[in-house]
Amino acid sequence: MTTHLPFSQACENNKGPILARLCEVFNAPGTVLEIGTGTGQHAVHFAAALPHIKWQPTDHPTAAHLAVARLEQAALPNILPMRKLDVANTPWPALDFRWAFSANTAHIMAWTEVEQMFQGIGASLPDDGAFCLYGPFMHQGEFTSESNRAFDRSLRSQAQHMGIRDIEDLSALAKAVGLVLREDYAMPANNEMLVFIPLHSTGIKPTD
């Protein structure tokens, strides 16, 4: 029985569409660093479907316990032990990964934490790696839907540091740490999957 485990309906709804895109990116052996594992639903679903990869779940020290029971119950050989990771606590502990993934975190984190997430990933992402960031985003200061506008209003009413982020701002953070936005996939429920890769792996020369 799994009814006692922490559960996110959003994770249950989006795990299928997200996996379809991750299959295209995480297409070779390697370790995936997940930032913000939450309930562990994504970790279990993706690791089970991608046995060629190792999945490294992490979460903020105050939330890392939420996924432990689910991960232990799944007992998948390619899920590594949960690690505590506060993106704002720099430098990060030593982490060896080929890819990084994070879902629905950028609009919860403070902007300084989003910056530090990109810095931490950019410092360790190998040339053949990628960072997949899922969630709702703005484009050039505009919401993509009225539901996202309402969601942003709800977030900011809970805490002023939260809010839907603009893709142009995220791309600027990426460029500052040597990454570039390669793909922007439209996803269900007005979400998107952003795929960032190391700039020099594209053959494009950095510009001022």
Side-chain angles (χ1 to χ4, degrees):
M1 296 293 290
T2 60
T3 54
H4 65 287
L5 298 177
F7 179 83
S8 165
Q9 188 60 53
C11 285
E12 199 65 20
N13 294 344
N14 64 36
K15 66 184 184 182
I18 292 177
L19 176 61
R21 290 304 182 185
L22 295 187
C23 286
E24 301 173 15
V25 182
F26 305 157
N27 56 8
T31 298
V32 179
L33 171 68
E34 181 183 20
I35 297 176
T37 296
T39 64
Q41 288 164 255
H42 279 165
V44 170
H45 187 70
F46 301 154
L50 301 169
H52 60 280
I53 58 96
K54 292 182 180 179
W55 197 269
Q56 177 60 74
T58 73
D59 214 326
H60 191 276
T62 62
H65 65 283
L66 293 175
V68 172
R70 185 183 303 276
L71 300 181
E72 291 178 348
Q73 186 177 83
L76 293 172
N78 59 330
I79 296 183
L80 301 173
M82 168 65 73
R83 294 191 63 174
K84 297 177 181 178
L85 177 64
D86 180 354
V87 297
N89 188 4
T90 56
W92 287 6
L95 294 165
D96 183 19
F97 57 93
R98 182 174 182 179
W99 299 290
F101 168 77
S102 194
N104 291 322
T105 55
H107 56 265
I108 301 298
M109 295 177 180
W111 182 247
T112 55
E113 293 175 312
V114 178
E115 291 179 313
Q116 289 157 326
M117 176 170 65
F118 271 86
Q119 290 167 5
I121 291 171
S124 299
L125 198 69
D127 291 351
D128 61 352
F131 171 33
C132 296
L133 182 63
Y134 171 88
F137 302 102
M138 299 172 68
H139 290 254
Q140 297 182 335
E142 298 293 332
F143 294 101
T144 60
S145 68
E146 285 304 313
S147 63
N148 279 359
R149 185 190 302 276
F151 181 48
D152 180 76
R153 189 181 306 117
S154 173
L155 288 169
R156 294 181 188 279
S157 71
Q158 298 173 57
Q160 280 300 308
H161 73 265
M162 298 196 297
I164 293 178
R165 309 305 179 186
D166 195 297
I167 286 179
E168 282 69 30
D169 293 336
L170 295 173
S171 294
L173 291 186
K175 182 180 178 181
V177 298
L179 304 179
V180 64
L181 180 62
R182 186 187 72 183
E183 301 287 353
D184 176 2
Y185 294 111
M187 304 292 281
N190 301 309
N191 290 305
E192 298 169 61
M193 174 77 82
L194 310 181
V195 182
F196 298 93
I197 63 172
L199 180 61
H200 43 74
S201 71
T202 66
I204 300 173
K205 292 183 179 181
T207 57
D208 293 333

